[in-house]
Amino acid sequence: MRPNPNRGRVYRRCGCRDNTGKQIGAGCPKLASSRHGTWTFAVDRPNADNMRKTLRRGGFATKIQASEALSKVLECERAGVHLNDAETVAQYLTSWLDAKAPNLRTNTVLRYRAYINQDLIPAIGAVRLEQLTHEHVRQFISNQLTAGRGRVTLARCITTLSSALNDAVKQRRLSYSPARYAGLPRPARRNLTCWTTRQAEGFLRTCHRIDDPLADLFELMICTGMRKGEMLGLHWDDVDLDNRVLFVRHTLVSINNSRSMLSEPKTEGSRAWVALSQRAVEALRRQRQRKTTDPDGLVFTTKDRRPLRPQYVLDRFRQLTAEAALPRIRVHDLRHLAATIMLSAGVPIAMVSKTLRHKNLATTVDIYGHLTQEVAQAAVDATAAALDNVAKKAA
């Protein structure tokens, strides 16, 4: 039998006690005065074990307020929304991350936990989950921007909150997500800084001239477009030089800049094979001959065959960049460099996307779309030149 959607009662009660210290409640004679006591509602709610459980909430100044609160409880019940108005945002976010953690990468869990404990809970943690509104989120964003918080970091923080609240909607804890229309200003788009092909070749020439231990690592990044973590997590068992292919099965991540660990690739699409050019094969063969490689383990290691620290790779990359007198870029920009060289050489963007192992073509277009304009211009110019040549011969 379905519960009566109009059940529940609203009444007035106070905190007065009798001589034994027991609360008098609704039976207090002083309630005859409209100024005494507050309004309360009570309603029996269905339970998973079929046991009756009464929900009571009091402290309302008027009967109308208590009735509206009761109506909201019944409305949520009819909509299938789980209402636990005693749980705070802090409690929900903490339990949400605990449940989510087993399916997330270690770095992602640490980042989410930092946003929750250091930013979200101090600002809105005391608010009851069901009472969280768009205004709370908007005020949080405004306060953070006023305090000089970086927009990129703030956007990631709001994304964490949005993910948690979206799950609350899916679980019918909330009817909508207060963070959905947060109105967060978009971070300024970072302009990709890439070397030219000539500069890239000059950098590699400098690395090989001094026989730097990381020379072949950087060359392989440029030749394949692989991510730094994927390169540092590459094992010899994942490399097939005869067939000129390697497989991305691990990535090395830094935990709080203090320790490193092997993890799964960034996305499902990242777990794929990567074609190797002859130049990349030669780089790997040179690396095979180095004493700093582990023939049964990682391709790139320290002298004592331990995993390279990402920070060390970055520091050494900057030193080599300065020695080559080149503009300062990030190690990750070598991936962008690989894409730029491919697109500038006329490689179709669909093939570039496949080579970079992006989740979809839209990601590649979003990042490198400005380069395809140059390729498109060259394509239409070639078409026009071909037509002009035919016209000249016919004249």
Side-chain angles (χ1 to χ4, degrees):
M1 181 182 295
R2 296 183 63 182
N4 180 5
N6 298 315
R7 67 191 187 284
R9 61 194 181 96
V10 176
Y11 56 94
R12 200 148 50 93
R13 61 175 295 149
C14 64
C16 296
R17 300 177 182 273
D18 58 20
N19 295 332
T20 64
K22 184 178 180 180
Q23 274 198 348
I24 304 176
C28 178
K30 295 181 181 180
L31 290 175
S33 170
S34 59
R35 297 182 179 181
H36 187 71
T38 57
W39 288 91
T40 299
F41 76 80
V43 60
D44 292 337
R45 303 177 66 193
N47 209 340
D49 54 8
N50 292 324
M51 298 292 290
R52 186 179 71 172
K53 186 175 182 180
T54 302
L55 174 68
R56 289 187 179 87
R57 292 291 182 266
F60 299 98
T62 65
K63 183 177 182 179
I64 292 177
Q65 291 177 353
S67 298
E68 289 177 346
L70 172 60
S71 297
K72 181 180 179 181
V73 169
L74 296 175
E75 180 183 349
C76 289
E77 181 183 286
R78 289 192 294 271
V81 177
H82 174 77
L83 183 66
N84 179 10
D85 58 356
E87 186 176 36
T88 64
V89 172
Q91 293 169 333
Y92 171 73
L93 290 177
T94 302
S95 61
W96 169 79
L97 184 56
D98 289 342
K100 201 86 171 175
N103 299 319
L104 299 175
R105 299 174 68 192
T106 303
N107 260 10
T108 303
V109 174
L110 292 174
R111 187 171 67 250
Y112 280 7
R113 200 176 300 281
Y115 290 146
I116 289 173
N117 292 334
Q118 299 173 19
D119 300 308
L120 296 172
I121 288 181
I124 58 176
V127 180
R128 290 181 177 178
L129 179 62
E130 270 74 17
Q131 294 178 350
L132 184 68
T133 65
H134 168 81
E135 182 58 26
H136 287 112
V137 180
R138 189 202 65 77
Q139 190 60 49
F140 169 74
I141 293 173
S142 177
N143 292 341
Q144 291 288 306
L145 291 175
T146 301
R149 192 68 180 274
R151 293 191 176 187
V152 173
T153 304
L154 182 55
R156 291 172 179 168
C157 182
I158 294 299
T159 298
T160 303
L161 176 63
S162 181
S163 179
L165 296 180
N166 286 340
D167 281 351
V169 174
K170 293 176 184 177
Q171 298 163 6
R172 294 188 174 273
R173 296 291 309 277
L174 297 175
S175 57
Y176 76 101
S177 170
R180 183 174 183 181
Y181 302 107
L184 180 66
R186 281 178 171 252
R189 192 182 185 92
R190 183 180 180 274
N191 293 325
L192 296 181
T193 303
C194 284
W195 292 335
T196 64
T197 305
R198 184 181 297 275
Q199 288 174 322
E201 196 279 330
F203 171 76
L204 294 176
R205 189 169 58 251
T206 298
C207 293
H208 289 300
R209 176 172 51 81
I210 63 176
D211 194 26
D212 191 86
L214 299 184
D216 294 317
L217 183 149
F218 295 134
E219 177 142 6
L220 200 58
M221 286 189 70
I222 296 174
C223 288
T224 63
M226 289 175 64
R227 301 176 178 91
K228 177 178 63 177
E230 296 170 345
M231 196 66 66
L232 298 181
L234 183 64
H235 288 66
W236 282 115
D237 288 343
D238 302 329
V239 179
D240 185 348
L241 293 180
D242 293 335
N243 292 310
R244 291 173 49 177
V245 67
L246 63 79
F247 298 88
V248 178
R249 297 191 176 106
H250 306 91
T251 182
L252 191 77
V253 296
S254 178
I255 309 299
N256 289 334
N257 291 325
S258 59
R259 63 186 179 91
S260 300
M261 65 173 288
L262 288 174
S263 178
E264 293 184 350
K266 183 178 180 181
T267 64
E268 188 65 32
S270 296
R271 298 186 190 91
W273 56 270
V274 176
L276 299 174
S277 63
Q278 187 58 40
R279 181 163 182 156
V281 169
E282 291 172 0
L284 284 166
R285 283 178 175 156
R286 285 194 301 269
Q287 183 62 19
R288 266 280 197 203
Q289 304 305 315
R290 291 185 183 274
K291 296 180 180 180
T292 56
T293 191
D294 183 354
D296 299 317
L298 294 171
V299 175
F300 300 100
T301 63
T302 61
K303 291 181 180 180
D304 52 1
R305 296 185 175 179
R306 289 187 300 175
L308 289 167
R309 290 179 57 249
Q311 186 61 46
Y312 166 75
V313 175
L314 173 61
D315 292 341
R316 186 56 186 154
F317 178 71
R318 288 174 174 170
Q319 292 171 2
L320 292 169
T321 299
E323 289 182 27
L326 292 172
R328 181 166 170 167
I329 62 173
R330 306 171 302 168
V331 175
H332 188 72
D333 289 328
L334 296 181
R335 178 172 166 85
H336 298 319
L337 173 62
T340 302
I341 293 174
M342 285 185 277
L343 288 170
S344 299
V347 177
I349 194 168
M351 291 305 301
V352 175
S353 181
K354 181 67 176 177
T355 302
L356 297 179
R357 291 161 292 117
H358 282 156
K359 186 176 181 179
N360 50 54
L361 183 60
T363 301
T364 315
V365 173
D366 185 52
I367 299 174
Y368 305 107
H370 64 290
L371 295 175
T372 61
Q373 295 177 8
E374 299 174 10
V375 176
Q377 186 63 52
V380 295
D381 288 344
T383 301
L387 292 173
D388 290 342
N389 289 334
V390 173
K392 288 179 181 178
K393 291 179 180 179

